[in-house]
Amino acid sequence: MKRRLFVASSIAAALGACAPIGTKLNDSSFHELLRGAESLNYPLIGTHGLAREYREQDVDRDFRVNGLPAPQSSQYERFVRDGFASYRLRVDGAVQRRMTLSLAQLQRMPQTTQITRHDCVEGWSAIGSWTGVRLSDVLDLAQPRDDARFVVFHCMDVDDGGTQYYESLDIRQARHPQTLLSLRLNDRAIDPDHGAPVRLRVPTQLGYKSAKWVARLEIVGSFATLFGGHGGYWEDQGYEWYAGI
Amino acid sequence: MTVRAIHRYALATRIAHWLWVVAFAVLVSSGLQIFNAAPYLDASDKSDPAHRVFAIGSPRDGVGETMLFGRTFTTTGALGWTDDGAGGAGARAFPGWLTIPSYQDLADGRRWHLFFAWIAAVCWLTWLVSSAIKGSLQKLVLRPSDLPKLWPMQAYYFHMRKEAPPHGVYNPLQKAAYTLLMFVLAPLVVLTGIALAPGVDAAFPWLTVLFGGRQFARLWHFAAMLALLAFFAGHVLLVLTQGFVNQMNAMITGWYRLGEHEGDGA
């Protein structure tokens, strides 16, 4: 009887000790175990269906600005001054045809408009009207090679510590019909705070995937050797690569 | 007097029970960490201050405020301006001692939350399948024939009646409580949680719509957590008052001694 009571009180004590575990087990193998949930979530949820599309009157006219500030570089200042006439989107890596596309060339490609909800990892949501080129169309031009598995988006914004923003999608996510290289937000050319001139738009995943100020698409077989190796700026800081949940 | 003992809880049930205790503690505290990143709840699809029903904030240094259904309360020290989990105080919705990790870290909170959500869900499924196969599920689920016995059982608890109405392993009130917990609250908290995922919303759009949109689902998810906490509080109170040692032994060894506490709540 006493032994059983001891077992019961040990369990209670163990539970009481739960809260500080979060602090103590950082960067341990236990943390790697926690990350394991992500490998279950992607196969289970995957990239199916279409994000809900809304009506014109649902749009947030004053779309929330979040994340890193607009690039401060002299090159970006020059882009803003010349209305992005000198901007070029580079497409390279594991493709048959490397290329550079000007903003005018992107504007001449078939344009798609979607009114979709942007779901931030912090928990809030906002609705915007996005117009631009399907990423799939750009990939068709560049023709990824057989060993291509991911598209890495190199961005122009840099944080206080000098780390550059980047993101990545696998080919399936990149070819999703709602994955856009958006040029317009709410019927106007995207302004610098919202990612001018080209912002990735991925409505089937959380907001940090929708990278602003995209300058280069690098098609790769693996992102393990790029930057922190986790496939994105926030991913390198512990967020999930699969941002569908 | 001989004390008769019955084998009340199968091994799977006992393991699931204690894993749930751990998972629930982690899910609530990591959930509050996640909530802290956007400390408000809106009864709408997209975020909309016009439909805000709950918010925690800090209007200025040293002051914490909580808004509930349009009424604002000063909650300095408890909510809004709290222990920041790093030895100081700051603008933070739920205090560090209530969150995992204690300091502000959304990425880590999400890792804990999504991992233990799997633990809780797999436990629930294992318990459901094993109880259904063993036939113990039918002793627990509330049936229409139990409904007329609900009040007599409550009257017995209130000492308004000498004898408990005849019942099986679980009395009608226990059946009602566990049916509500396992077949209403548990599925609700899981479904409202996954309704927040944009990938799930794209694959099963009806789910998010069912809860009134993404922010509304976030509100229901929080409400389901409060309902589970209320259940947990009542459950612990009953265990403490209805023969604590016998109850704890039963959930550890499976054997429950009859005759000591006829009501045997919890």
Side-chain angles (χ1 to χ4, degrees):
Chain A
M1 174 62 75
K2 284 228 170 94
R3 190 180 60 83
R4 285 168 184 174
L5 193 60
F6 171 74
V7 173
S9 50
S10 313
I11 291 172
L15 293 174
C18 265
I21 289 175
T23 323
K24 286 180 185 151
L25 287 182
N26 261 349
D27 303 321
S28 68
S29 55
F30 183 77
H31 233 72
E32 287 306 305
L33 181 69
L34 288 185
R35 285 172 168 265
E38 183 184 357
S39 52
L40 294 173
N41 292 336
Y42 187 31
L44 193 75
I45 301 170
T47 307
H48 301 289
L50 293 171
R52 186 174 162 199
E53 303 219 7
Y54 292 83
R55 301 161 304 175
E56 196 66 47
Q57 61 260 43
D58 299 321
V59 167
D60 282 296
R61 289 290 144 200
D62 191 11
F63 196 87
R64 183 166 170 179
V65 174
N66 203 38
L68 299 181
Q72 307 292 312
S73 66
S74 56
Q75 185 199 41
Y76 192 75
E77 280 172 17
R78 199 166 62 243
F79 286 158
V80 173
R81 270 201 309 274
D82 71 13
F84 297 97
S86 55
Y87 165 87
R88 294 290 180 278
L89 177 70
R90 254 170 78 194
V91 186
D92 59 14
V95 291
Q96 311 281 3
R97 290 180 53 201
R98 296 170 156 226
M99 55 191 189
T100 55
L101 294 166
S102 67
L103 188 56
Q105 282 173 306
L106 286 167
Q107 285 162 341
R108 280 197 298 273
M109 291 177 68
Q111 304 290 303
T112 309
T113 295
Q114 56 166 262
I115 301 176
T116 48
R117 202 184 61 219
H118 178 90
D119 293 335
C120 182
V121 67
E122 293 172 343
W124 53 269
S125 307
I127 294 173
S129 171
W130 311 86
T131 301
V133 181
R134 281 202 176 104
L135 181 56
S136 193
D137 290 346
V138 175
L139 292 179
D140 284 345
L141 289 178
Q143 298 171 27
R145 295 197 312 246
D146 290 345
D147 56 338
R149 288 191 58 213
F150 301 96
V151 181
V152 177
F153 304 85
H154 295 259
C155 303
M156 293 183 270
D157 48 330
V158 175
D159 71 11
D160 290 341
T163 307
Q164 188 202 311
Y165 199 94
Y166 77 107
E167 255 306 338
S168 62
L169 295 172
D170 65 23
I171 296 291
R172 185 182 165 88
Q173 296 164 345
R175 285 200 175 274
H176 186 277
Q178 289 173 314
T179 302
L180 292 190
L181 292 175
S182 60
L183 312 176
R184 300 174 72 78
L185 168 61
N186 295 351
D187 308 320
R188 299 169 61 181
I190 292 188
D191 59 282
D193 282 343
H194 288 98
V198 176
R199 179 180 191 175
L200 179 65
R201 176 72 192 132
V202 190
T204 51
Q205 297 198 47
L206 294 171
Y208 61 88
K209 280 284 167 187
S210 293
K212 301 173 182 178
W213 308 292
V214 177
R216 177 183 169 205
L217 312 184
E218 184 185 9
I219 288 78
V220 297
S222 161
F223 48 68
T225 57
L226 291 169
F227 302 92
H230 295 100
Y233 173 83
W234 290 111
E235 287 85 334
D236 287 339
Q237 296 175 47
Y239 286 87
E240 292 88 353
W241 177 79
Y242 173 62
I245 187 161
Chain B
M1 188 184 98
T2 52
V3 177
R4 203 162 63 85
I6 55 165
H7 195 261
R8 194 178 193 182
Y9 304 115
L11 182 65
T13 303
R14 284 176 276 144
I15 292 174
H17 176 271
W18 292 114
L19 279 174
W20 274 325
V21 176
V22 176
F24 185 60
V26 173
L27 283 165
V28 170
S29 39
S30 58
L32 296 179
Q33 166 76 248
I34 295 169
F35 174 89
N36 273 358
Y40 42 78
L41 296 169
D42 298 349
S44 53
D45 184 11
K46 63 177 182 176
S47 296
D48 183 357
H51 290 98
R52 196 143 293 172
V53 296
F54 181 62
I56 303 176
S58 172
R60 60 186 177 277
D61 274 7
V63 178
E65 270 184 6
T66 301
M67 185 278 283
L68 182 64
F69 298 116
R71 300 176 63 167
T72 302
F73 309 91
T74 302
T75 51
T76 308
L79 300 168
W81 185 270
T82 59
D83 141 37
D84 64 5
R92 196 162 190 272
F94 283 100
W97 64 269
L98 264 180
T99 66
I100 292 180
S102 51
Y103 48 85
Q104 186 66 37
D105 188 339
L106 174 61
D108 221 31
R110 282 171 50 83
R111 295 277 185 192
W112 282 87
H113 202 73
L114 296 177
F115 181 84
F116 279 91
W118 271 107
I119 300 278
V122 169
C123 267
W124 182 82
L125 205 65
T126 310
W127 166 83
L128 184 73
V129 170
S130 82
S131 310
I133 291 170
K134 297 184 94 146
S136 54
L137 201 58
Q138 44 190 300
K139 297 179 203 157
L140 190 76
V141 175
L142 190 74
R143 287 156 195 282
S145 62
D146 292 315
L147 295 177
K149 296 185 195 162
L150 281 172
W151 172 247
M153 192 67 213
Q154 189 62 64
Y156 168 77
Y157 274 132
F158 286 157
H159 303 287
M160 291 160 62
R161 203 186 131 113
K162 270 212 158 80
E163 302 263 313
H167 58 77
V169 176
Y170 297 99
N171 75 49
L173 285 176
Q174 289 173 312
K175 286 184 178 183
Y178 289 112
T179 302
L180 180 72
L181 176 72
M182 302 309 282
F183 298 101
V184 179
L185 288 181
L188 187 69
V189 82
V190 171
L191 292 176
T192 52
I194 64 174
L196 300 175
V200 173
D201 194 10
F204 312 101
W206 54 268
L207 185 65
T208 310
V209 170
L210 179 73
F211 295 119
R214 185 177 190 245
Q215 297 303 312
F216 221 138
R218 201 166 170 260
L219 170 61
W220 289 126
H221 193 56
F222 195 89
M225 179 271 292
L226 292 179
L228 286 168
L229 269 182
F231 182 93
F232 178 74
H235 176 70
V236 169
L237 183 74
L238 285 169
V239 170
L240 288 174
T241 57
Q242 303 292 310
F244 174 72
V245 173
N246 192 21
Q247 299 276 8
M248 290 301 275
N249 279 340
M251 201 38 103
I252 293 168
T253 66
W255 291 96
Y256 181 82
R257 275 172 299 116
L258 292 175
E260 286 196 343
H261 293 273
E262 268 307 322
D264 55 44

